Amino acid sequence: MERYSIDLAIDLLGRLNVLERLDQSRSARELCHTLSFQTRFGSTLSWLLERLVETGCIEVRKADADRSYRLLCSPWQPQCAELRAIALEIDGANASTLDLLDYAANLYPLVAAGKQNGEQGLFLPQGITLWLNYFHNNNLTYAVNNWLGAVVATNYLATRSRFRILEIGAGAGSASEILLRCLDENGLLPRLERYLITEPNAFFRRRAQRQLSQQYPNKPLEWGVLDMNLPWDSQEIVRDEFDLVYGVNVLHVAKDLLFSLGQVHGALAPDGCLIISECVRPYLNQPMYPELVFQILDSFTDVDIDPEFRPNPGFLTADHWRRAFSRAGFEHTEVKPELDGIREIYPHFFTGAICGQRKA
């Protein structure tokens, strides 16, 4: 998937006529101006260029706040068809990720020209089907996020005689499904007093409710709407109520991360825990293949930045998550597995669970 997104980036920079403008060092902002792209496309263009920095054919220079790029040599010819065949031979379900990457890539020229925004394009009816396939637990390139979060959450809840769970940003329920499955397999479902599953998108929420209500008809499952960017107590979330607040790949798009973490802190009972499973950036400025999809979404990039714990939109490093949790008042913050060691061996492992407790 990493190599596939690099080849897509090569193809896109060619289609956007960017490579021919890199005979001298230019920033993404300058390139957008020269090529009459939307100003907002600058961060997306930076991401494409950073992908090619990894290939050695583009060099990057930093001056003040801007990073500038110059072409050193022509990149290789994209081999997307060959890479797709390899991925499908490994697992046919990889088509879900490849199809979404392709669909998003085809929207880039329209977004650059201001003819469409990412939200409009990615959430058309054909896009919704791709999202559902991508977030499905049959798609192991995504499901690993659900499994890691569920295992860590289950181990935490195993020490409690009873518990109440609030899940945020549940989407179509793939993370909820795996958490319930893990709780069931470990004999913990009888201890569940309340599981409030929240999702702002009505279509995804109804789909999750329909499926999970059928699978667990006699369990205390509830569904609601929660906007994590607004005060939670005005959205019927009672303070000090939940033993676990849980989310998979959602908090990285909080508009004001500290505000949302503070709302989580208030919703937790004393000694309660926040557990999130996230795509975690191994190193600062390192591109990650899922970002090819999300870079064109305003909700992904239009967030408040802080140099200490959120220096960039989107996915954060393990250290940035630790600092953010600490600033929000969480104790005993842990990142599982040991990502700092893993990245030294394999720098493209992106999945981590971040855990923090409210003081008892």
Side-chain angles (χ1 to χ4, degrees):
M1 296 304 173
E2 280 291 282
R3 172 61 194 274
Y4 193 80
S5 77
I6 291 173
D7 283 38
L8 280 177
I10 294 171
D11 178 62
L12 281 168
L13 288 171
R15 289 164 58 189
L16 293 168
N17 300 316
V18 171
L19 293 176
E20 62 192 47
R21 303 284 181 164
L22 294 179
D23 54 326
Q24 57 181 288
S25 193
R26 287 189 167 96
S27 68
R29 179 174 51 82
E30 291 170 332
L31 288 164
C32 282
H33 177 73
T34 300
L35 294 165
S36 300
F37 293 161
Q38 297 294 299
T39 303
R40 177 254 171 270
F41 192 70
S43 63
T44 305
L45 183 54
S46 290
W47 185 88
L48 290 173
L49 292 164
E50 292 288 342
R51 283 267 67 167
L52 265 67
V53 170
E54 297 176 276
T55 71
C57 68
I58 287 181
E59 70 171 358
V60 60
R61 296 177 183 174
K62 186 168 186 208
D64 300 322
D66 269 346
R67 290 164 71 85
S68 59
Y69 306 88
R70 184 173 72 88
L71 191 66
L72 297 176
C73 61
S74 296
W76 60 69
Q77 287 297 310
Q79 297 177 298
C80 293
E82 294 86 345
L83 292 165
R84 172 180 279 268
I86 293 169
L88 295 181
E89 184 177 352
I90 294 169
D91 186 342
N94 282 330
S96 300
T97 298
L98 297 167
D99 289 346
L100 187 58
L101 289 169
D102 287 344
Y103 184 74
N106 285 329
L107 293 172
Y108 270 56
L110 296 173
V111 173
K115 296 178 180 178
Q116 193 171 56
N117 67 37
E119 276 79 4
Q120 290 170 337
L122 284 170
F123 291 99
L124 290 170
Q126 59 266 41
I128 292 293
T129 300
L130 294 173
W131 282 114
L132 292 173
N133 291 338
Y134 175 73
F135 288 124
H136 199 281
N137 285 312
N138 287 341
N139 178 21
L140 297 185
T141 58
Y142 183 81
V144 62
N145 296 272
N146 294 336
W147 278 106
L148 177 61
V151 168
V152 173
T154 298
N155 288 341
Y156 165 72
L157 293 171
T159 63
R160 300 203 166 232
S161 59
R162 59 184 182 84
F163 48 82
R164 296 150 295 174
I165 303 171
L166 167 63
E167 182 176 351
I168 58 176
S174 65
S176 319
E177 177 187 6
I178 297 301
L179 178 56
L180 285 164
R181 177 174 167 179
C182 284
L183 293 174
D184 192 20
E185 290 176 351
N186 286 273
L188 299 179
L189 273 185
R191 306 183 196 178
L192 177 63
E193 292 189 340
R194 185 186 188 198
Y195 188 173
L196 175 56
I197 301 169
T198 67
E199 166 54 42
N201 184 288
F203 173 81
F204 289 147
R205 186 176 64 253
R206 287 194 298 267
R207 186 182 179 92
Q209 182 173 359
R210 185 168 58 249
Q211 177 183 340
L212 295 175
S213 294
Q214 292 173 354
Q215 289 182 256
Y216 300 94
N218 301 314
K219 299 305 175 185
L221 306 182
E222 305 171 33
W223 280 264
V225 179
L226 178 63
D227 186 335
M228 65 180 170
N229 296 314
L230 299 176
W232 290 16
D233 56 6
S234 67
Q235 302 179 73
E236 302 183 0
I237 300 298
V238 178
R239 291 184 63 84
D240 308 330
E241 164 142 9
F242 296 96
D243 303 287
L244 171 66
V245 174
Y246 183 65
V248 175
N249 279 327
V250 59
L251 269 174
H252 65 266
V253 294
K255 173 70 174 174
D256 179 338
L257 182 56
L258 276 192
F259 170 82
S260 296
L261 286 172
Q263 299 302 299
V264 172
H265 195 276
L268 285 168
D271 201 34
C273 190
L274 168 63
I275 297 177
I276 58 173
S277 181
E278 286 276 346
C279 288
V280 179
R281 197 181 303 279
Y283 295 99
L284 184 64
N285 294 324
Q286 178 181 345
M288 300 159 61
Y289 79 83
E291 293 176 307
L292 190 143
V293 176
F294 301 114
Q295 278 291 335
I296 56 174
L297 293 174
D298 291 340
S299 58
F300 187 79
T301 58
D302 185 18
V303 297
D304 296 340
I305 300 301
D306 184 284
E308 179 188 353
F309 62 86
R310 198 189 208 176
N312 54 263
F315 304 126
L316 303 176
T317 68
D319 275 343
H320 292 137
W321 280 116
R322 292 187 190 101
R323 293 172 198 162
F325 271 47
S326 177
R327 283 276 298 273
F330 289 95
E331 298 187 328
H332 311 300
T333 299
E334 295 181 89
V335 177
K336 301 180 180 182
E338 182 46 60
L339 297 182
D340 294 340
I342 291 174
R343 69 182 181 180
E344 298 298 324
I345 301 168
Y346 181 65
H348 299 288
F349 184 81
F350 300 141
T351 305
I354 304 96
C355 321
Q357 282 189 280
R358 177 179 169 180
K359 187 175 181 180

